[in-house]
């Protein structure tokens, strides 16, 4: 009697392609939440254009992957998005590693952004905070410092409610989804905001 071969151990496991497709499917909640908040993204792009054209600056901060998103945003403004135009003042607060490590060493990591906001922020400037959790103590401290300095605070977070969303109120873009999808949603929002920004700059130059 011939025995039946044992089923391969991989049967039922997701293939690499299926993992990718599942990840793409998981982006849907983030995209839906962005579509529902398109007016906010547009308003931010317009407001930022007018403030930076008036000589104010954008300060941006985040941790980890959100720090990379923050630096992406400032690069779009200091460099360019998809068309030539003048450069605008935008600083990623995590990018100055000497200041970051000195402040962290002397004052603690919770103060690494707040102290820089106190140094660089002036009334009329904008502070953009990016976070998937909305709970990072250093971003909450930065928001408090910005308000004390007369700096407008905007936040991109993961699902609300979260502490940062509650702190900044109406000026929060809360993106639904798991952490990787929230970060992807933030990048889409950054590009949408930059598109509106560039269009408003070009319109004002006519």
């Amino acid at each position: 009697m011939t025995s039946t071969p044992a089923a391969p151990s991989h049967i039922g496991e997701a293939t690499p392609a299926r993992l990718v497709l599942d990840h793409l499917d998981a982006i849907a909640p983030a995209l839906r939440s962005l579509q529902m908040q398109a007016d906010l993204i547009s308003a931010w792009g317009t407001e930022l254009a007018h403030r930076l054209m008036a000589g104010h600056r954008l300060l941006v901060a985040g941790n980890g992957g959100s720090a990379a998103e923050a630096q992406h945003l400032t690069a779009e403004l200091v460099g360019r998005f998809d068309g030539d135009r003048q450069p605008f003042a935008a600083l990623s607060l995590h990018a100055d590693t000497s200041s970051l490590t000195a402040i962290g060493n002397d004052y603690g990591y919770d103060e690494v952004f707040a102290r820089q906001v106190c140094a660089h922020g002036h009334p009329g400037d904008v502070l953009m905070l990016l976070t998937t959790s909305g709970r990072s103590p250093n971003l909450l401290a930065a928001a408090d410092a910005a308000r004390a300095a007369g700096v407008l605070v905007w936040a991109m977070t993961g699902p609300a409610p979260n502490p940062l969303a509650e702190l900044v109120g109406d000026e929060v873009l809360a993106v639904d989804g798991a952490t990787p999808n929230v970060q992807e949603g933030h990048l889409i929002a950054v590009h949408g905001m930059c598109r509106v920004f560039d269009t408003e700059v070009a319109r004002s130059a006519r």
Side-chain angles (χ1 to χ4, degrees):
M1 180 176 179
T2 304
S3 61
T4 302
S9 61
H10 66 272
I11 294 297
E13 294 180 3
T15 65
R18 182 70 259 169
L19 292 173
V20 172
L21 291 170
D22 287 346
H23 179 83
L24 295 175
D25 289 342
I27 298 173
L31 292 175
R32 283 195 297 269
S33 64
L34 291 175
Q35 289 170 336
M36 294 174 62
Q37 300 173 91
D39 286 347
L40 177 61
I41 298 169
S42 173
W44 280 358
T46 301
E47 178 71 14
L48 188 63
H50 286 287
R51 289 186 181 240
L52 269 56
M53 284 189 291
H56 299 296
R57 72 177 74 185
L58 174 68
L59 309 177
V60 194
N63 296 293
S66 294
E69 302 271 10
Q71 200 159 338
H72 188 119
L73 172 56
T74 57
E76 302 283 25
L77 296 174
V78 177
R80 67 177 192 172
F81 179 53
D82 61 2
D84 193 26
R85 53 147 168 77
Q86 70 182 91
F88 290 95
L91 300 174
S92 295
L93 299 182
H94 67 277
D96 183 350
T97 56
S98 293
S99 291
L100 191 79
T101 52
I103 295 167
N105 186 63
D106 294 342
Y107 297 95
Y109 195 68
D110 289 359
E111 294 298 316
V112 293
F113 299 133
R115 193 164 178 85
Q116 292 187 74
V117 169
C118 292
H120 300 304
H122 298 92
D125 291 346
V126 178
L127 173 67
M128 172 71 82
L129 302 172
L130 293 94
T131 167
T132 57
S133 70
R135 300 179 182 280
S136 302
N138 57 7
L139 299 182
L140 294 169
D144 285 334
R147 285 184 161 184
V151 174
L152 178 62
V153 182
W154 295 343
M156 291 188 188
T157 76
N162 61 70
L164 185 58
E166 293 173 3
L167 183 60
V168 302
D170 292 338
E171 299 291 356
V172 60
L173 180 75
V175 178
D176 292 332
T179 295
N181 306 123
V182 169
Q183 288 185 336
E184 289 155 353
H186 287 174
L187 180 56
I188 293 171
V190 163
H191 283 168
M193 189 172 67
C194 287
R195 189 166 299 284
V196 173
F197 179 96
D198 277 13
T199 299
E200 188 64 19
V201 169
R203 188 195 66 78
S204 300
R206 294 185 190 128

